[in-house]
Amino acid sequence: MRGEWQTRIREIGDDSISGATALLTRALALLREAAVEPQATLEALAGDLCRAQPSMAGLRTAFHLVRTSTDPAADLDRLMQRIARAPQLIARHASELLLLRRHGSDVRTLPMRLVTCSASSAVEATIRSLASRASITVSCAEARPRLEGRAMAIRLADGGVSIELHTDAGISRAVPGADALIVGADAIGPSSFINKVGTAALCALAGSAGVPVYVLAGREKILGASEFNSLSLKEADAAEVWAGTHPGVLVCNSYFEAIPRELVSTIVTDAGPMHQI
């Protein structure tokens, strides 16, 4: 069984398409299965999961839980239930905030324009919630090299949402005049958050264009300064960008980056808005 667990940990570490919430759900399911094992075994598995996805705050939260809990099975069950509910709760809070900004306008006839990048379960749930209440158009970046943004665009379009798909370099054209830029997060610290590379430039552009920036993430992704600073942003396989490359060319394939929170208008969690400027 332990060999199977290590295989699943490697699969979680190699998964560069699924969002942080989906990966955390799989990791918690593994830890819940192992909750009958000795505490040392459970902690070791949680530590291996943290190393598999070193930028994910939710895995650090899970590690802290299993290290300090007197009843890991019960506490893991509660955390899993909270995380399962989080996207819809975030969507409810974020939708209300976004609709409030359009107070006085007919949201059924005057489309709301949103911009996003990569893929996030909370962002996707928020878009679906808004689409059920207002006319919206969403500009998505395709999120190279694994194209998870394109996959989300397909799911939303199949659900009846009006979608404009942009290249990662071209998504900046959609920001001026948008109602909001909405993004997810793998981790949130006191002064910055981690998300898909390219998010910082979009946030900076949004700020200069007067477009509010909303970060949507569950509370399990919030860390203190020391824990947040211990996260690492690993480089992915260069062959995803350029197989074979060329002599003298170093291919950099970064998935994530840290973005200053000063570029953010509001952070919305499953408990509601936590930060506004």
Side-chain angles (χ1 to χ4, degrees):
M1 180 61 76
R2 294 183 185 181
E4 177 197 339
W5 290 340
Q6 290 302 323
T7 297
R8 289 162 65 184
I9 290 172
R10 285 193 295 272
E11 290 172 348
I12 289 171
D14 292 340
D15 190 334
S16 55
I17 297 177
S18 300
T21 299
L23 289 173
L24 180 58
T25 299
R26 287 161 55 188
L28 290 174
L30 188 157
L31 291 174
R32 180 62 181 85
E33 289 178 26
V36 296
E37 298 290 325
Q39 180 73 11
T41 300
L42 188 59
E43 287 188 26
L45 285 172
D48 289 343
L49 284 163
C50 290
R51 287 183 286 275
Q53 287 284 357
S55 65
M56 280 184 53
L59 295 176
R60 299 296 182 99
T61 298
F63 177 76
H64 179 74
L65 183 150
V66 301
R67 187 177 58 182
T68 59
S69 175
T70 56
D71 188 352
D75 287 341
L76 284 166
D77 283 341
R78 281 190 284 269
L79 181 58
M80 292 169 70
Q81 291 165 7
R82 193 182 90 193
I83 289 168
R85 294 191 299 264
Q88 294 304 321
L89 291 173
I90 294 168
R92 183 189 308 168
H93 295 304
S95 296
E96 291 298 330
L97 287 173
L98 287 162
L99 290 171
L100 185 62
R101 288 188 58 85
R102 294 291 297 273
H103 180 69
S105 63
D106 188 345
V107 294
R108 284 291 177 185
T109 59
L110 183 61
M112 178 181 294
R113 290 188 54 236
L114 302 175
V115 180
T116 190
C117 59
S118 189
S120 156
S121 59
V123 168
E124 186 169 343
T126 297
I127 291 170
R128 292 183 186 277
S129 174
L130 283 168
S132 70
R133 304 170 64 184
S135 175
I136 67 171
T137 298
V138 182
S139 296
C140 296
E142 56 183 351
R144 289 188 177 271
R146 301 306 297 271
L147 303 177
E148 65 270 18
R150 184 191 297 182
M152 185 176 76
I154 291 171
R155 292 192 299 272
L156 291 170
D158 287 347
V161 181
S162 176
I163 298 292
E164 297 174 350
L165 184 68
H166 296 255
T167 63
D168 293 340
I171 188 66
S172 59
R173 292 187 57 199
V175 174
D179 287 284
L181 169 66
I182 58 174
V183 299
D186 273 33
I188 298 174
S191 60
S192 58
F193 70 100
I194 292 173
N195 197 47
K196 179 79 174 184
V197 67
T199 302
L202 285 178
C203 290
L205 176 60
S208 68
V211 175
V213 177
Y214 293 79
V215 175
L216 314 181
R219 286 171 288 164
E220 75 281 352
K221 297 177 182 178
I222 301 171
L223 299 176
S226 60
E227 192 76 2
F228 182 86
N229 291 336
S230 71
L231 299 175
S232 62
L233 307 176
K234 67 178 181 181
E235 284 288 311
D237 187 359
E240 291 181 341
V241 176
W242 188 359
T245 69
H246 185 82
V249 177
L250 174 64
V251 177
C252 300
N253 185 16
S254 302
Y255 281 172
F256 303 104
E257 66 182 356
I259 303 101
R261 272 179 58 166
E262 64 190 30
L263 299 177
V264 175
S265 307
T266 310
I267 294 175
V268 184
T269 75
D270 45 312
M274 63 167 282
H275 174 64
Q276 290 183 264
I277 58 173

